[in-house]
């Protein structure tokens, strides 16, 4: 009897651990998707900044607004 009870406890713990690992896997996948999306956003902002800076030219050539 003792072995049957012990085996049941082990099986219950295994089932809980399998569910826990599945839940953690889902969380990690969601975080990876968010990180990917944020990385794309950062790259888009970086490109916009680079485009803006290259279009602005040399600010030393511009006259001040009060002239």
């Amino acid at each position: 009897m003792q072995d049957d009870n012990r085996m049941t406890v082990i099986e219950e713990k295994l089932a809980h651990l399998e569910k826990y690992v599945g839940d953690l896997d889902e969380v990690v996948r969601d975080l990876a998707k968010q990180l990917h999306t944020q990385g794309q956003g950062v790259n888009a902002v970086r490109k916009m900044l680079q485009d803006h800076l290259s279009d602005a030219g040399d600010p030393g050539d511009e006259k001040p607004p009060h002239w």
Side-chain angles (χ1 to χ4, degrees):
M1 278 299 202
Q2 192 75 319
D3 287 339
D4 290 339
N5 187 31
R6 187 169 173 230
M7 187 62 97
T8 302
V9 169
I10 291 172
E11 288 174 349
E12 287 174 355
K13 287 183 179 184
L14 178 62
H16 287 291
L17 287 173
E18 286 176 338
K19 180 175 181 342
Y20 186 69
V21 168
D23 293 345
L24 286 176
D25 183 57
E26 185 178 340
V27 168
V28 169
R29 288 177 188 267
D30 289 344
L31 288 173
K33 288 177 188 175
Q34 289 177 13
L35 183 61
H36 179 73
T37 302
Q38 290 177 354
Q40 288 178 328
V42 168
N43 288 337
V45 170
R46 182 181 291 134
K47 183 176 179 343
M48 287 179 359
L49 180 61
Q50 287 173 346
D51 291 345
H52 176 71
L53 292 176
S54 66
D55 290 345
D58 186 14
D61 294 340
E62 295 180 16
K63 291 184 179 180
H66 62 278
W67 285 56

